Amino acid sequence: MDPIRNPYAPGAGQRPPELAGRDEQLAAFDVVLERIARGRPERSLVLTGLRGVGKTVLLNALRSAAVRKRWGTGKLEARPDQRLRRPLSSALHQAVRELGHPQADDVDHVLGVIRAFAQREAGAGAKLADRWNPGIDAPAVKGRADSGDIEIDLVELLTDLGGLAADVGKGVAVFLDEMQDLGPDDVSALCAACHEISQSGLPVIVVGAGLPHLPAVLSASKSYSERLFRYQRIDRLVRDAADRALAAPAKEEDAEFEPAALEAMYAATGGYPYFIQAYGKAVWDLAPASPITAADVTVAAPEAEAELAVGFFGSRFERATPGEREYLRAMADSAVAIAECGAEPLDDIQSVPTADVATVLGKRPQSLSPARDALLKKGLIYSGERGRIAFTVPHFGRYLREHG
Ligand SMILES: Nc1ncnc2c1ncn2[C@@H]1O[C@H](COP(=O)(O)OP(=O)(O)OP(=O)(O)O)[C@@H](O)[C@H]1O
Ligand SMILES: [Mg+2]
């Protein structure tokens, strides 16, 4: 069918033509925004899930919801080797701009505090000219959010910002993607700041998103984090939602899927949003006409798989060193061994014991720690429970068995 009218959107953070199966999260967030706006206690929200399940897209949708309520919003993405100060300063600068300009003096004060916070990064010895500034004209405020202790500074910064938002009867929401990549000091400071803010009833919320082990990262940092954040697991779509993700955009273009085609699509994609978009795109281009049939899906499958092998799996596999790749393959083989014992069907196995991986490789578990730690750091695997390890990328085991 006409590729120009192809509605599907595979790609990191690409807004899907139909945001299917997330109504519950969107509705819950509206309640959170209303409660915070009224000074009611609310926990900050943290979305967790595997690669490609739609965390970034949902985070953006939640941000839009906050913007519609005229909140000030900002977004940032954590990176493993970057500190929080600068990207957070930019995000909060954006949030203040979105709040509008009620009382210029108050706004200038908060902007000055953000600037002071940002500039503390350069260190006390840095020359003035080196000091980075997120484009703020107001002069830096002295003695606020500039102690150099990220925890103290963050509390002061969010308190002042929350005060401004409360004065103008709005709220501020900060969206933090790839939150598992924050450094330990920044995680701990952010938890402490959220704790403080929630006690003071100021209208500020942090909404995070990250890989499935993010709750473990947060609770290792502060034991009270479980009470501080509300975790929402973002998962693959149930059949109904997956069908809608495909059928609704098609309908907009006056096309449709036969029921057997939708069934074949679900079998192939497992309901994972990224796969739904990738298969949707391939089948649309290759199908001769509407309605799209199960046979069209069969024809398009190799195309979709090839696309995923390069863009989704391959790009990640390439980030691993030869030793790490061996470890990844051994994880995939361990799952097969478990399935062969009849314990669980292969597709249901989400994690494997690290001891099994060592057995497959015929090595001592300790000798494998460097490879495992490097893979954890690269975000290719995660450990949800002690002694077990899992891929962060859905269907990665299958990919490795077929291509690795
Ligand atoms: N609810 C949904 N319905 C249909 N398609 C979706 C949905 N959510 C996400 N997608 C699609 O899935 C793909 C992946 O989405 P996104 O980048 O948000 O995932 P992610 O969880 O942030 O992945 P990563 O962990 O790699 O950052 C995109 O192509 C997006 O359009
Ligand atoms: Mg993402």
Side-chain angles (χ1 to χ4, degrees):
M1 299 196 292
D2 184 359
I4 295 170
R5 295 178 64 184
N6 193 326
Y8 302 103
Q14 280 280 340
R15 190 153 70 104
E18 168 82 10
L19 183 69
R22 305 293 185 227
D23 295 350
E24 202 181 300
Q25 285 87 359
L26 289 166
F29 190 62
D30 274 339
V31 174
V32 169
L33 290 178
E34 274 309 315
R35 285 183 58 86
I36 293 179
R38 293 173 194 199
R40 301 262 176 188
E42 255 307 328
R43 284 176 290 176
S44 291
L45 210 61
V46 171
L47 314 174
T48 66
L50 297 175
R51 293 278 172 216
V53 288
K55 300 179 295 297
T56 300
V57 157
L58 183 57
L59 207 57
N60 291 340
L62 299 182
R63 183 179 183 186
S64 300
V67 169
R68 277 196 299 276
K69 291 207 186 294
R70 313 221 166 276
W71 281 41
T73 69
K75 193 183 161 198
L76 66 151
E77 187 180 308
R79 306 239 166 83
D81 301 312
Q82 195 182 36
R83 313 285 292 266
L84 183 60
R85 263 183 209 265
R86 286 184 179 183
L88 182 64
S89 309
S90 297
L92 296 180
H93 182 201
Q94 172 76 27
V96 172
R97 292 171 65 91
E98 286 184 10
L99 276 180
H101 283 255
Q103 269 283 322
D105 285 353
D106 295 352
V107 172
D108 277 358
H109 169 78
V110 171
L111 287 175
V113 175
I114 295 175
R115 183 167 178 174
F117 176 79
Q119 292 186 338
R120 196 59 184 79
E121 173 90 305
K127 281 197 247 86
L128 218 58
D130 294 340
R131 291 194 166 185
W132 183 83
N133 168 20
I136 293 174
D137 294 330
V141 170
K142 277 218 158 49
R144 197 79 183 141
D146 61 355
S147 77
D149 179 327
I150 179 78
E151 192 160 320
I152 294 171
D153 294 352
L154 204 51
V155 170
E156 291 183 352
L157 175 64
L158 292 184
T159 302
D160 288 6
L161 182 60
L164 175 69
D167 285 348
V168 300
K170 296 180 183 174
V172 165
V174 185
F175 298 86
L176 178 45
D177 208 354
E178 303 288 352
M179 192 172 174
Q180 76 283 339
D181 284 339
L182 285 178
D185 290 353
D186 288 341
V187 170
S188 145
L190 196 65
C191 288
C194 286
H195 196 39
E196 192 73 27
I197 289 293
S198 71
Q199 286 167 10
S200 60
L202 289 171
V204 176
I205 186 176
V206 175
V207 184
L211 292 173
H213 65 290
L214 178 54
V217 171
L218 296 172
S219 65
S221 175
K222 297 275 189 210
S223 57
Y224 57 72
S225 74
E226 274 130 74
R227 281 168 283 137
L228 202 56
F229 297 107
R230 183 142 57 114
Y231 297 116
Q232 289 201 330
R233 178 80 191 220
I234 306 306
D235 221 327
R236 50 178 144 169
L237 302 180
V238 296
R239 175 67 200 273
D240 208 40
D243 287 359
R244 199 147 17 86
L246 288 164
K251 190 153 179 257
E252 289 284 304
E253 301 295 334
D254 299 318
E256 57 183 10
F257 285 79
E258 282 187 350
L262 288 174
E263 185 158 346
M265 289 291 267
Y266 198 71
T269 63
Y272 284 106
Y274 196 103
F275 301 154
I276 291 175
Q277 300 299 331
Y279 268 80
K281 180 146 204 212
V283 78
W284 177 283
D285 282 352
L286 291 172
S290 173
I292 294 167
T293 66
D296 294 335
V297 177
T298 309
V299 170
E303 174 100 354
E305 290 298 326
E307 195 66 47
L308 287 169
V310 176
F312 193 67
F313 298 115
S315 59
R316 298 199 156 90
F317 190 56
E318 270 158 28
R319 297 218 305 267
T321 63
E324 292 159 19
R325 289 180 188 184
E326 215 179 299
Y327 192 92
L328 293 170
R329 283 193 209 97
M331 282 175 63
D333 292 343
S334 303
V336 174
I338 293 170
E340 278 168 358
C341 295
E344 257 182 297
L346 187 54
D347 282 344
D348 291 353
I349 298 175
Q350 304 290 345
S351 67
V352 296
T354 48
D356 288 20
V357 181
T359 309
V360 167
L361 290 170
K363 292 188 176 157
R364 283 185 306 116
Q366 296 91 316
S367 71
L368 294 171
S369 310
R372 195 185 58 231
D373 290 350
L375 288 167
L376 285 167
K377 197 147 179 245
K378 287 179 183 172
L380 288 169
I381 61 175
Y382 73 97
S383 176
E385 341 162 25
R386 221 185 147 73
R388 296 186 75 89
I389 203 91
F391 295 119
T392 57
V393 180
H395 293 182
F396 205 49
R398 188 190 298 175
Y399 163 79
L400 291 173
R401 286 188 290 273
E402 286 167 12
H403 299 82

